Amino acid sequence: MNDTTSDTPKLSWWRRLSAGLKRTSGALGTAVADLVTKRKLDRAMLEEIEDVLLRADLGTQVAARIAQAVGAGRYDKAISADDVKNVVATEVEKVLKPVAKPLEIDAARKPFVILVVGVNGSGKTTTIGKLAAKFASEGHQVMLAFNAMTAAREQGRDVLLIDTAGRLQNKAELMNELEKVVRVIRKVDASAPHAVLLVLDATVGQNALSQVEAFQRTAGVTGLVMTKLDGTARGGILVALAEKFKLPVHFIGVGEGVEDLAPFTARDFARAIAGIES
Ligand code: GDP
Protein backbone atom coordinates (compact mmCIF):
# COMPACT_ATOMS: atom_id res chain seq x y z
CA MET A 1 0.00 0.00 0.00
CA ASN A 2 1.08 3.55 -0.63
CA ASP A 3 1.68 5.83 2.27
CA THR A 4 -1.49 7.89 2.18
CA THR A 5 0.18 10.93 3.72
CA SER A 6 2.56 11.41 0.79
CA ASP A 7 0.92 12.77 -2.33
CA THR A 8 2.13 10.27 -4.93
CA PRO A 9 1.43 11.23 -8.57
CA LYS A 10 -1.25 8.52 -8.76
CA LEU A 11 -3.00 9.71 -5.60
CA SER A 12 -2.78 13.33 -6.57
CA TRP A 13 -4.33 12.57 -9.97
CA TRP A 14 -7.16 10.62 -8.29
CA ARG A 15 -7.87 13.66 -6.10
CA ARG A 16 -7.92 15.97 -9.12
CA LEU A 17 -10.07 13.56 -11.11
CA SER A 18 -12.66 13.03 -8.39
CA ALA A 19 -12.73 16.76 -7.58
CA GLY A 20 -12.99 17.56 -11.31
CA LEU A 21 -15.93 15.20 -11.75
CA LYS A 22 -17.69 16.43 -8.58
CA ARG A 23 -20.37 18.31 -10.48
CA THR A 24 -21.40 15.17 -12.32
CA SER A 25 -20.96 12.70 -9.46
CA GLY A 26 -22.60 15.13 -7.02
CA ALA A 27 -25.66 15.59 -9.20
CA LEU A 28 -25.97 11.84 -9.71
CA GLY A 29 -25.39 11.03 -6.05
CA THR A 30 -27.89 13.56 -4.71
CA ALA A 31 -30.62 12.51 -7.12
CA VAL A 32 -30.09 8.80 -6.44
CA ALA A 33 -30.00 9.29 -2.67
CA ASP A 34 -33.33 11.18 -2.84
CA LEU A 35 -34.92 8.32 -4.76
CA VAL A 36 -33.73 5.33 -2.79
CA THR A 37 -34.40 6.62 0.72
CA LYS A 38 -38.13 6.94 0.10
CA ARG A 39 -39.19 3.38 -0.71
CA LYS A 40 -38.35 -0.10 -1.90
CA LEU A 41 -37.19 -0.74 -5.42
CA ASP A 42 -39.89 -0.97 -8.07
CA ARG A 43 -40.24 -0.34 -11.78
CA ALA A 44 -41.09 3.34 -11.31
CA MET A 45 -37.95 3.87 -9.23
CA LEU A 46 -35.82 2.25 -11.90
CA GLU A 47 -37.31 4.58 -14.49
CA GLU A 48 -36.46 7.54 -12.29
CA ILE A 49 -32.91 6.25 -11.86
CA GLU A 50 -32.67 5.92 -15.63
CA ASP A 51 -33.81 9.56 -15.98
CA VAL A 52 -31.13 10.70 -13.56
CA LEU A 53 -28.51 8.88 -15.65
CA LEU A 54 -29.85 10.44 -18.86
CA ARG A 55 -29.57 13.89 -17.30
CA ALA A 56 -25.85 13.19 -16.77
CA ASP A 57 -25.63 12.51 -20.55
CA LEU A 58 -24.63 8.88 -20.19
CA GLY A 59 -26.71 8.04 -23.24
CA THR A 60 -29.88 5.98 -23.63
CA GLN A 61 -28.23 2.59 -24.03
CA VAL A 62 -25.87 2.88 -21.09
CA ALA A 63 -28.59 4.39 -18.88
CA ALA A 64 -30.95 1.51 -19.73
CA ARG A 65 -28.26 -1.10 -19.04
CA ILE A 66 -27.40 0.45 -15.68
CA ALA A 67 -31.08 0.61 -14.65
CA GLN A 68 -31.50 -3.03 -15.64
CA ALA A 69 -28.42 -4.06 -13.67
CA VAL A 70 -29.66 -2.11 -10.61
CA GLY A 71 -32.98 -3.94 -10.84
CA ALA A 72 -31.50 -7.43 -11.17
CA GLY A 73 -32.39 -9.35 -7.99
CA ARG A 74 -33.35 -6.22 -6.06
CA TYR A 75 -37.10 -5.79 -6.69
CA ASP A 76 -39.13 -5.13 -3.53
CA LYS A 77 -35.95 -4.69 -1.51
CA ALA A 78 -34.55 -1.60 0.09
CA ILE A 79 -31.49 -0.42 -1.81
CA SER A 80 -28.84 2.08 -0.87
CA ALA A 81 -27.29 4.88 -2.89
CA ASP A 82 -24.00 2.98 -2.60
CA ASP A 83 -25.55 -0.07 -4.30
CA VAL A 84 -26.50 2.15 -7.24
CA LYS A 85 -23.09 3.86 -7.32
CA ASN A 86 -21.34 0.50 -7.46
CA VAL A 87 -23.50 -0.65 -10.36
CA VAL A 88 -22.87 2.66 -12.19
CA ALA A 89 -19.10 2.27 -11.71
CA THR A 90 -19.13 -1.35 -12.91
CA GLU A 91 -21.24 -0.69 -16.01
CA VAL A 92 -19.40 2.51 -16.96
CA GLU A 93 -16.04 0.75 -16.62
CA LYS A 94 -17.24 -1.96 -19.02
CA VAL A 95 -18.01 0.67 -21.67
CA LEU A 96 -14.78 2.57 -21.16
CA LYS A 97 -12.30 -0.26 -20.86
CA PRO A 98 -11.99 -0.96 -24.60
CA VAL A 99 -11.43 2.74 -25.46
CA ALA A 100 -9.00 3.72 -22.70
CA LYS A 101 -5.80 3.48 -24.70
CA PRO A 102 -2.57 5.36 -24.16
CA LEU A 103 -1.21 7.45 -27.01
CA GLU A 104 1.81 5.47 -28.18
CA ILE A 105 4.67 7.53 -29.58
CA ASP A 106 6.32 5.41 -32.27
CA ALA A 107 10.06 6.06 -31.96
CA ALA A 108 10.58 4.90 -35.55
CA ARG A 109 8.74 8.03 -36.71
CA LYS A 110 10.95 11.02 -36.22
CA PRO A 111 9.31 13.36 -35.65
CA PHE A 112 6.12 11.58 -34.57
CA VAL A 113 3.59 14.08 -35.91
CA ILE A 114 0.45 14.72 -33.88
CA LEU A 115 -2.24 16.84 -35.51
CA VAL A 116 -4.63 18.39 -33.02
CA VAL A 117 -8.10 19.24 -34.31
CA GLY A 118 -11.33 20.52 -32.81
CA VAL A 119 -13.64 23.53 -32.86
CA ASN A 120 -12.40 26.83 -31.47
CA GLY A 121 -12.53 27.09 -27.72
CA SER A 122 -12.50 23.32 -27.21
CA GLY A 123 -9.12 23.52 -25.49
CA LYS A 124 -6.66 22.64 -28.29
CA THR A 125 -3.99 25.19 -27.49
CA THR A 126 -4.17 24.52 -23.75
CA THR A 127 -4.04 20.76 -24.35
CA ILE A 128 -1.05 21.08 -26.67
CA GLY A 129 0.80 23.03 -23.98
CA LYS A 130 -0.02 20.36 -21.40
CA LEU A 131 0.97 17.52 -23.73
CA ALA A 132 4.23 19.25 -24.66
CA ALA A 133 5.13 19.55 -20.97
CA LYS A 134 4.17 15.92 -20.35
CA PHE A 135 6.15 14.55 -23.30
CA ALA A 136 9.18 16.71 -22.41
CA SER A 137 9.07 15.39 -18.83
CA GLU A 138 9.17 11.87 -20.28
CA GLY A 139 12.37 12.75 -22.13
CA HIS A 140 10.96 13.52 -25.57
CA GLN A 141 12.33 16.37 -27.68
CA VAL A 142 9.12 18.21 -28.47
CA MET A 143 8.41 20.94 -31.02
CA LEU A 144 5.26 22.97 -31.68
CA ALA A 145 3.61 24.55 -34.61
CA PHE A 146 2.44 24.47 -38.02
CA ASN A 147 5.40 25.19 -40.31
CA ALA A 148 7.90 23.27 -38.23
CA MET A 149 8.01 19.94 -40.09
CA THR A 150 11.37 20.56 -41.74
CA ALA A 151 12.90 22.18 -38.67
CA ALA A 152 11.66 19.36 -36.42
CA ARG A 153 13.29 16.82 -38.69
CA GLU A 154 16.57 18.73 -39.01
CA GLN A 155 16.80 19.20 -35.27
CA GLY A 156 16.05 15.55 -34.57
CA ARG A 157 12.92 16.26 -32.49
CA ASP A 158 10.91 13.16 -31.78
CA VAL A 159 7.45 14.67 -31.29
CA LEU A 160 5.83 17.47 -33.29
CA LEU A 161 2.48 18.81 -32.06
CA ILE A 162 0.51 20.76 -34.66
CA ASP A 163 -2.39 23.05 -33.78
CA THR A 164 -5.11 23.70 -36.35
CA ALA A 165 -7.65 26.49 -36.64
CA GLY A 166 -11.18 25.45 -35.76
CA ARG A 167 -13.04 28.46 -37.09
CA LEU A 168 -15.54 26.43 -38.96
CA GLN A 169 -18.65 27.85 -40.48
CA ASN A 170 -19.25 24.73 -42.51
CA LYS A 171 -17.81 21.32 -43.25
CA ALA A 172 -16.33 22.27 -46.64
CA GLU A 173 -14.27 24.93 -44.92
CA LEU A 174 -13.13 22.45 -42.30
CA MET A 175 -12.09 20.02 -44.98
CA ASN A 176 -10.15 22.66 -46.95
CA GLU A 177 -8.34 23.87 -43.88
CA LEU A 178 -7.30 20.38 -42.79
CA GLU A 179 -6.34 19.26 -46.28
CA LYS A 180 -4.06 22.26 -46.56
CA VAL A 181 -2.31 21.42 -43.29
CA VAL A 182 -1.95 17.75 -44.21
CA ARG A 183 -0.53 18.64 -47.64
CA VAL A 184 2.19 20.76 -46.05
CA ILE A 185 3.04 17.99 -43.57
CA ARG A 186 3.16 15.27 -46.22
CA LYS A 187 5.58 17.18 -48.41
CA VAL A 188 8.12 16.47 -45.70
CA ASP A 189 6.88 13.07 -44.48
CA ALA A 190 4.38 11.14 -46.58
CA SER A 191 3.45 8.91 -43.62
CA ALA A 192 2.40 11.84 -41.41
CA PRO A 193 0.35 12.78 -39.45
CA HIS A 194 0.87 9.74 -37.25
CA ALA A 195 -1.93 10.63 -34.84
CA VAL A 196 -4.94 12.94 -35.20
CA LEU A 197 -6.32 13.97 -31.82
CA LEU A 198 -9.79 15.47 -31.61
CA VAL A 199 -10.15 17.78 -28.62
CA LEU A 200 -13.72 17.93 -27.29
CA ASP A 201 -15.14 20.33 -24.71
CA ALA A 202 -17.27 18.29 -22.28
CA THR A 203 -19.49 21.31 -21.55
CA VAL A 204 -21.02 21.28 -25.06
CA GLY A 205 -22.96 18.14 -24.08
CA GLN A 206 -24.73 16.27 -26.87
CA ASN A 207 -23.10 18.56 -29.42
CA ALA A 208 -19.90 16.55 -28.92
CA LEU A 209 -21.55 13.66 -30.80
CA SER A 210 -21.95 15.70 -33.99
CA GLN A 211 -18.42 17.11 -33.63
CA VAL A 212 -17.01 13.59 -33.57
CA GLU A 213 -19.01 12.70 -36.68
CA ALA A 214 -17.83 15.78 -38.59
CA PHE A 215 -14.15 15.44 -37.68
CA GLN A 216 -14.09 11.68 -38.12
CA ARG A 217 -15.19 12.11 -41.71
CA THR A 218 -12.95 15.03 -42.58
CA ALA A 219 -9.83 14.57 -40.47
CA GLY A 220 -9.48 10.82 -39.90
CA VAL A 221 -9.47 11.14 -36.12
CA THR A 222 -7.38 8.45 -34.40
CA GLY A 223 -8.15 9.37 -30.79
CA LEU A 224 -10.01 11.72 -28.45
CA VAL A 225 -9.07 14.14 -25.70
CA MET A 226 -11.94 15.47 -23.59
CA THR A 227 -11.38 18.75 -21.75
CA LYS A 228 -13.37 20.75 -19.16
CA LEU A 229 -14.92 17.73 -17.43
CA ASP A 230 -14.68 19.92 -14.32
CA GLY A 231 -17.08 22.42 -15.88
CA THR A 232 -20.16 20.25 -16.30
CA ALA A 233 -22.65 18.10 -14.40
CA ARG A 234 -23.04 16.06 -17.58
CA GLY A 235 -19.63 14.39 -17.76
CA GLY A 236 -21.40 11.19 -18.77
CA ILE A 237 -21.09 12.44 -22.35
CA LEU A 238 -17.68 10.74 -22.50
CA VAL A 239 -19.38 7.41 -21.79
CA ALA A 240 -22.01 8.04 -24.49
CA LEU A 241 -19.21 8.84 -26.98
CA ALA A 242 -17.29 5.69 -26.06
CA GLU A 243 -20.43 3.60 -26.48
CA LYS A 244 -21.29 5.12 -29.84
CA PHE A 245 -17.96 5.63 -31.63
CA LYS A 246 -15.54 3.27 -29.86
CA LEU A 247 -12.69 5.69 -30.64
CA PRO A 248 -9.68 5.53 -28.33
CA VAL A 249 -9.75 8.10 -25.53
CA HIS A 250 -6.17 9.11 -24.71
CA PHE A 251 -6.38 12.00 -22.25
CA ILE A 252 -8.91 13.92 -20.19
CA GLY A 253 -8.72 17.42 -18.74
CA VAL A 254 -10.25 18.37 -15.41
CA GLY A 255 -8.83 21.88 -15.03
CA GLU A 256 -6.59 24.51 -16.55
CA GLY A 257 -3.25 23.47 -15.03
CA VAL A 258 -0.63 21.21 -16.61
CA GLU A 259 -1.32 18.60 -13.90
CA ASP A 260 -5.03 18.64 -14.80
CA LEU A 261 -4.52 16.60 -17.96
CA ALA A 262 -3.79 12.91 -17.54
CA PRO A 263 -3.96 9.67 -19.48
CA PHE A 264 -7.42 8.23 -19.43
CA THR A 265 -8.07 5.13 -17.33
CA ALA A 266 -11.44 3.36 -17.37
CA ARG A 267 -11.62 2.25 -13.74
CA ASP A 268 -10.60 5.57 -12.20
CA PHE A 269 -13.00 7.53 -14.39
CA ALA A 270 -15.87 5.10 -13.73
CA ARG A 271 -15.37 5.26 -9.97
CA ALA A 272 -14.95 9.03 -9.93
CA ILE A 273 -18.09 9.66 -11.99
CA ALA A 274 -20.07 7.29 -9.78
CA GLY A 275 -18.86 9.25 -6.75
CA ILE A 276 -16.98 6.38 -5.12
CA GLU A 277 -14.63 7.91 -2.61
CA SER A 278 -11.38 5.97 -2.86
P1 GDP B 1 -8.71 26.39 -28.51
O1 GDP B 1 -9.44 27.52 -29.15
O2 GDP B 1 -9.30 25.06 -28.93
O3 GDP B 1 -7.23 26.41 -28.75
O4 GDP B 1 -8.99 26.49 -26.93
P2 GDP B 1 -8.05 27.02 -25.75
O5 GDP B 1 -6.91 26.08 -25.55
O6 GDP B 1 -7.72 28.43 -26.00
O7 GDP B 1 -9.01 26.85 -24.49
C1 GDP B 1 -10.19 27.59 -24.31
C2 GDP B 1 -10.43 27.82 -22.83
O8 GDP B 1 -10.68 26.57 -22.16
C3 GDP B 1 -9.23 28.42 -22.07
O9 GDP B 1 -9.71 29.40 -21.21
C4 GDP B 1 -8.66 27.24 -21.29
O10 GDP B 1 -8.01 27.64 -20.11
C5 GDP B 1 -9.90 26.44 -20.98
N1 GDP B 1 -9.64 25.01 -20.72
C6 GDP B 1 -8.97 24.11 -21.48
N2 GDP B 1 -8.97 22.89 -20.92
C7 GDP B 1 -9.66 23.00 -19.74
C8 GDP B 1 -10.07 22.06 -18.71
O11 GDP B 1 -9.78 20.84 -18.72
N3 GDP B 1 -10.81 22.58 -17.68
C9 GDP B 1 -11.17 23.91 -17.64
N4 GDP B 1 -11.90 24.33 -16.60
N5 GDP B 1 -10.83 24.78 -18.59
C10 GDP B 1 -10.09 24.35 -19.63
Side-chain angles (χ1 to χ4, degrees):
M1 271 301 285
N2 283 328
D3 173 10
T4 47
T5 55
S6 72
D7 219 18
T8 63
K10 172 86 188 148
L11 190 58
S12 130
W13 168 246
W14 168 256
R15 288 213 182 101
R16 283 173 192 281
L17 178 66
S18 51
L21 289 174
K22 262 269 135 50
R23 287 201 193 187
T24 305
S25 62
L28 274 178
T30 309
V32 167
D34 281 352
L35 285 174
V36 297
T37 47
K38 284 182 220 153
R39 54 187 207 262
K40 289 181 178 169
L41 187 94
D42 58 13
R43 181 171 296 280
M45 190 196 285
L46 282 182
E47 278 172 18
E48 288 169 66
I49 289 175
E50 199 171 328
D51 278 346
V52 168
L53 300 167
L54 286 173
R55 285 204 293 277
D57 270 350
L58 282 151
T60 49
Q61 283 162 310
V62 179
R65 273 209 306 277
I66 294 174
Q68 197 180 16
V70 170
R74 293 195 183 85
Y75 270 85
D76 290 327
K77 294 183 182 147
I79 62 162
S80 69
D82 281 347
D83 292 336
V84 180
K85 284 182 186 178
N86 285 323
V87 174
V88 170
T90 304
E91 295 299 320
V92 166
E93 186 180 350
K94 278 188 211 160
V95 178
L96 298 181
K97 206 153 196 178
V99 302
K101 293 184 185 145
L103 177 65
E104 310 272 6
I105 308 275
D106 179 358
R109 309 287 184 189
K110 213 168 162 133
F112 184 85
V113 180
I114 304 171
L115 191 63
V116 181
V117 301
V119 302
N120 268 3
S122 61
K124 289 186 300 296
T125 309
T126 313
T127 298
I128 285 173
K130 291 171 179 172
L131 288 177
K134 194 173 293 296
F135 294 147
S137 77
E138 290 163 4
H140 292 291
Q141 305 279 308
V142 185
M143 196 165 210
L144 309 174
F146 172 64
N147 285 315
M149 270 302 282
T150 310
R153 189 170 255 195
E154 281 168 7
Q155 295 172 23
R157 304 296 176 108
D158 45 26
V159 181
L160 176 66
L161 282 157
I162 301 179
D163 206 344
T164 58
R167 252 174 291 100
L168 305 158
Q169 270 64 44
N170 59 52
K171 284 180 191 150
E173 208 179 315
L174 165 69
M175 198 150 5
N176 284 340
E177 175 86 30
L178 292 172
E179 274 174 0
K180 202 166 67 193
V181 176
V182 169
R183 223 180 304 127
V184 173
I185 296 171
R186 291 208 173 132
K187 273 192 193 147
V188 185
D189 180 351
S191 72
H194 306 110
V196 179
L197 299 189
L198 172 59
V199 177
L200 294 166
D201 172 346
T203 67
V204 304
Q206 295 289 318
N207 215 315
L209 295 159
S210 52
Q211 288 181 17
V212 174
E213 268 161 16
F215 280 93
Q216 213 177 8
R217 253 181 285 121
T218 52
V221 173
T222 61
L224 305 178
V225 177
M226 182 161 266
T227 63
K228 307 190 203 178
L229 279 157
D230 53 311
T232 178
R234 312 185 74 156
I237 189 66
L238 182 57
V239 183
L241 287 175
E243 170 86 7
K244 177 150 189 213
F245 297 103
K246 318 252 188 281
L247 276 166
V249 180
H250 296 310
F251 297 95
I252 53 169
V254 293
E256 296 185 87
V258 173
E259 328 70 41
D260 294 317
L261 187 85
F264 179 67
T265 51
R267 183 177 159 83
D268 286 347
F269 186 92
R271 291 169 69 82
I273 208 169
I276 293 173
E277 297 293 334
S278 61

